[in-house]
Amino acid sequence: LIKNGLKLQQSNKTLNRFVNDAIGFDMESELGLYYSDNAFCTCDALKFLPATPRRPARLLVFDLKTGTTKSSFDQLIVYAAYFCLEYGFKPTELDYDLRIYQNDTVYAFEDDPTDDILHAMDRIVTFDQIIETLKEEARR
């Protein structure tokens, strides 16, 4: 729906709001982000808005959840970390709009996620190095 720009009927239903918001922000859906062969992901919807004279660059990451268990923003933090790693951004250079669409509600990350994103980036890089070392040792 998003890739084809097919909006759904306006309603508070989770899927309708997610699809319509992603189309409204001209987001890419099912966007793959890649750091290494060991570290990659696919985002439900993502949009990068470059900086302008009036505002800093902004990263929008929206995630659709169809289950009923309360979701955490950890996954969206990781998506933002992969984006920064792949495209060479410092998390401090961006503003963020992180949203979870679930149970007919839109949950927005209220705090500044910069420290969380920096932590996730550090873990991704560290564990990627560990995995590469283990792979190299296994080849010997």
Side-chain angles (χ1 to χ4, degrees):
L1 293 169
I2 296 166
K3 286 182 182 183
N4 291 315
L6 300 173
K7 286 191 173 188
L8 296 174
Q9 180 179 355
Q10 287 294 333
S11 95
N12 284 332
K13 291 184 185 246
T14 303
L15 180 64
N16 295 45
R17 289 178 78 182
F18 173 76
V19 168
N20 292 343
D21 283 357
I23 291 170
F25 283 105
D26 193 30
M27 298 175 84
E28 291 187 58
S29 66
E30 298 300 316
L31 179 68
L33 295 173
Y34 180 88
Y35 175 68
S36 76
D37 287 345
N38 308 313
F40 52 90
C41 67
T42 303
C43 298
D44 286 349
L46 185 140
K47 177 74 174 184
F48 174 72
L49 300 166
T52 69
R54 288 195 224 142
R55 65 162 174 73
R58 186 169 182 81
L59 182 64
L60 290 76
V61 182
F62 297 176
D63 200 46
L64 174 66
K65 299 293 186 191
T66 56
T68 56
T69 304
K70 187 174 186 328
S71 296
S72 134
F73 279 92
D74 292 349
Q75 186 176 3
L76 282 78
I77 296 293
V78 170
Y79 291 160
Y82 277 124
F83 178 87
C84 289
L85 287 166
E86 181 172 349
Y87 294 101
F89 285 99
K90 295 176 185 170
T92 55
E93 297 174 332
L94 305 175
D95 281 345
Y96 300 91
D97 184 352
L98 309 178
R99 300 182 193 181
I100 293 174
Y101 290 74
Q102 184 178 29
N103 300 325
D104 299 337
T105 303
V106 179
Y107 301 95
F109 194 86
E110 298 294 330
D111 300 319
D112 178 2
T114 303
D115 288 340
D116 296 318
I117 295 167
L118 284 165
H119 179 71
M121 290 172 69
D122 181 58
R123 292 183 71 185
I124 291 166
V125 170
T126 298
F127 284 111
D128 182 61
Q129 291 169 346
I130 291 168
I131 292 168
E132 284 302 313
T133 299
L134 292 171
K135 287 164 112 175
E136 184 62 34
E137 289 173 3
R139 285 190 278 266
R140 291 184 202 158

